[in-house]
Amino acid sequence: MNNPQISVIVPVYNAEKWLRRCVDSILAQTFTDFELLLIDDGSTDGGADVVERMASSVVRLVRQENRGVSAARNRGIAMASGRYVALLDGDDRWQPQYLEQVWRLIARYPDCGAYGTGFMVDT
């Protein structure tokens, strides 16, 4: 199997309430050449169990003892096999075209070091 273009890294700590919504938003992307690494940072709320029940070939759950969000992100990045890395927190979600739009930016500006888009706050 070829490496994915994008590795999506989601650090997870006690995000059970939002995690299904987060993962569903990633799996609903119109751009599909990605892997999803969820790094459970010692959660105590059952969020990792939510992920384990999801059946998807692109989802990988890694558990570690609590070391903080930066350590969880760094572990995910170290494990990533994609050419690019996209970060999302466990209580956030993407619109379905997010990765597609980022991929268009990459294609248009291939020498750029980082890519970003706008965001929407939903209270």
Side-chain angles (χ1 to χ4, degrees):
M1 180 178 162
N2 293 331
N3 289 344
Q5 289 295 334
I6 299 175
S7 294
V8 178
I9 311 298
V10 179
V12 177
Y13 180 75
N14 289 348
E16 179 180 19
K17 180 177 177 181
W18 307 280
L19 198 52
R20 180 75 196 206
R21 182 188 72 176
C22 172
V23 172
D24 284 347
S25 80
I26 298 166
L27 296 178
Q29 293 298 297
T30 55
F31 179 90
T32 59
D33 192 4
F34 67 88
E35 68 176 343
L36 171 55
L37 293 102
L38 293 111
I39 312 302
D40 179 67
D41 191 44
S43 293
T44 59
D45 70 348
D49 297 331
V50 170
V51 175
E52 285 184 338
R53 288 190 298 269
M54 301 174 105
S56 173
S57 61
V58 300
V59 176
R60 189 164 51 163
L61 173 67
V62 177
R63 294 179 190 241
Q64 68 181 31
E65 66 180 52
N66 183 261
R67 295 180 16 225
V69 67
S70 295
R73 277 195 194 103
N74 288 340
R75 183 160 185 201
I77 291 168
M79 297 178 71
S81 60
R83 185 170 173 203
Y84 298 92
V85 171
L87 304 172
L88 184 65
D89 289 335
D91 61 346
D92 292 332
R93 63 182 166 168
W94 285 334
Q95 295 296 320
Q97 300 83 16
Y98 177 78
L99 286 178
E100 180 180 341
Q101 299 216 0
V102 169
W103 191 249
R104 286 182 186 160
L105 287 172
I106 291 168
R108 187 167 183 179
Y109 305 102
D111 296 327
C112 189
Y115 302 90
T117 64
F119 63 93
M120 175 176 55
V121 176
D122 182 4
T123 56

